[in-house]
Amino acid sequence: KRVADYFKSRYGDLENALKNLDPDGEFDLYTFEAALKKWGVQVDSVVELFGHIDLDWSNTISVHELFQVLELPMQEAQEREEQRRNSEVSRIFEQLAKSIRHKFGSIADYFAKEALKHGTTAEGGHGEISKGRFRGLLKDLGIDLDATQAQRVFSKIDKNSSGSVSMQELQNALNFN
């Protein structure tokens, strides 16, 4: 909304703004952030906004993509953001599943190794991992997520909202059998 407001105030409307920009222009994350600063537009998270616009995960956004999003009604923009977040979680789930298979063989093997490391058993109710241990798992697997992404993924896995993830919840989320 802030970006749209900037273009509307500077050019009168989005159509005129689009005419004043290079139609073949593209932004990567860094040039987009620099453009926002140049335009005097402050956003809560440049990365989130960039991801909201870059639905095809090309790591670039064209001027056309930018204006396509700016012209969306608010409800459509929110639906698009939800779609982007779900796609992001799905991609992370795929990466997590592949990395667990590669490093541990299976989720059950991971939980067994965790139980041995912490002196517990995987069966007696200790077969769950906390948010902190989940972040440790991501780090061990080389999956670099910011805190918001990690929380989003953890919340999608933690179906019963217990604050910890069971072996079954992780298997279900990652389609392990």
Side-chain angles (χ1 to χ4, degrees):
K1 179 164 174 15
R2 292 177 194 158
V3 178
D5 289 345
Y6 163 78
F7 284 117
K8 287 176 185 175
S9 70
R10 172 126 191 225
Y11 298 102
D13 60 32
L14 292 176
E15 189 175 325
N16 283 329
L18 184 56
K19 290 176 187 174
N20 284 285
L21 293 174
D22 177 6
D24 297 323
E26 284 194 340
F27 302 97
D28 62 17
L29 179 61
Y30 301 105
T31 57
F32 184 63
E33 183 175 26
L36 290 173
K37 286 180 182 176
K38 178 182 169 189
W39 299 332
V41 176
Q42 293 183 345
V43 296
D44 296 331
S45 170
V46 175
V47 173
E48 286 277 328
L49 178 59
F50 188 88
H52 174 74
I53 298 167
D54 184 28
L55 275 187
D56 65 358
W57 300 95
S58 65
N59 291 321
T60 61
I61 55 175
S62 66
V63 168
H64 176 72
E65 282 178 305
L66 172 62
F67 277 80
Q68 211 173 10
V69 170
L70 295 179
E71 292 169 348
L72 288 175
M74 188 54 75
Q75 183 172 347
E76 271 186 64
Q78 290 169 341
E79 289 169 1
R80 181 181 169 114
E81 177 60 13
E82 185 62 27
Q83 175 190 0
R84 184 197 68 79
R85 287 179 178 173
N86 288 336
S87 294
E88 176 184 56
V89 168
S90 293
R91 284 184 38 250
I92 294 167
F93 278 4
E94 288 174 22
Q95 184 182 9
L96 187 56
K98 182 178 177 180
S99 297
I100 287 173
R101 281 190 182 102
H102 181 262
K103 185 166 183 167
F104 300 106
S106 71
I107 291 174
D109 290 341
Y110 164 72
F111 273 85
K113 287 177 184 173
E114 279 294 297
L116 282 174
K117 186 163 73 174
H118 296 283
T120 62
T121 62
E123 295 84 40
H126 296 93
E128 296 191 349
I129 55 174
S130 65
K131 287 179 191 176
R133 284 178 54 196
F134 181 71
R135 292 279 305 194
L137 170 63
L138 293 172
K139 186 177 179 182
D140 286 349
L141 296 173
I143 300 173
D144 185 32
L145 303 180
D146 65 33
T148 302
Q149 291 171 314
Q151 178 61 44
R152 191 175 298 131
V153 170
F154 186 87
S155 294
K156 288 280 188 181
I157 297 170
D158 184 18
K159 291 293 185 189
N160 64 3
S161 301
S162 67
S164 62
V165 171
S166 70
M167 183 169 61
Q168 189 64 49
E169 284 175 315
L170 192 55
Q171 288 172 328
N172 290 343
L174 303 182
N175 296 315
F176 268 83
N177 292 315

